[in-house]
Amino acid sequence: AADSAAAADLRLVLAEVGDGVPLDDALARWVDRCPRPGVRLVVGGLVSARRAGGSPARSLDGLAATLRERHEVDREVRALATQARASAAVVTLAPLAFAAIGVVGDEQTAAFLLTTPAGLVCLVGGLGLDGLGAWWMARVAGRPA
């Protein structure tokens, strides 16, 4: 899109070239300003095509295909990570809900869990293990890189 961040960056590169900065230097400055893998890939492909005397259009077509594929893989990874986090939340909250229903719905269960030493040990141990499991699942299903 003409108003994307990459388009703004490329306009700046072209302005620098228009001001007399060599193209390779202007591209290197772009990498310095935006040290993202996609920018490095595009700049590397452009500089390589220029130095080798090849067609920059062919290089850009290949780079665009690679960047689109990377973008799709990143989207899929985010979607799968979101699904894993949702599953982790359900697995973490289900025992808490079950315990709450048990305490509210049955006086003997409430009396055991809340008034006896064995019940308190079970309650604290269960909460601790549930918390440990939640922490572990959060690490496993953490945000994608």
Side-chain angles (χ1 to χ4, degrees):
D3 59 349
S4 71
D9 289 340
L10 288 172
R11 280 192 291 273
L12 184 57
V13 168
L14 292 175
E16 289 177 351
V17 170
D19 290 340
V21 176
L23 179 59
D24 289 354
D25 293 344
L27 291 170
R29 289 181 187 174
W30 182 24
V31 170
D32 291 340
R33 282 190 307 271
C34 304
R36 294 187 304 259
V39 172
R40 283 191 223 116
L41 184 64
V42 169
V43 168
L46 286 172
V47 169
S48 295
R50 262 181 46 79
R51 290 184 182 163
S55 169
R58 183 173 279 174
S59 295
L60 285 176
D61 283 343
L63 290 170
T66 299
L67 290 173
R68 280 190 294 273
E69 288 172 12
R70 280 186 178 182
H71 180 69
E72 289 301 316
V73 168
D74 288 344
R75 284 181 52 197
E76 175 131 3
V77 166
R78 278 192 299 276
L80 292 173
T82 299
Q83 182 180 359
R85 284 191 299 275
S87 295
V90 168
V91 168
T92 300
L93 296 175
L96 297 176
F98 181 73
I101 290 169
V103 167
V104 170
D106 184 16
E107 289 179 14
Q108 287 180 328
T109 301
F112 172 74
L113 284 177
L114 301 175
T115 61
T116 66
L120 289 173
V121 167
C122 289
L123 185 61
V124 171
L127 289 173
L129 289 172
D130 196 47
L132 180 64
W135 172 80
W136 181 253
M137 287 183 284
R139 287 192 43 105
V140 169
R143 298 225 176 254

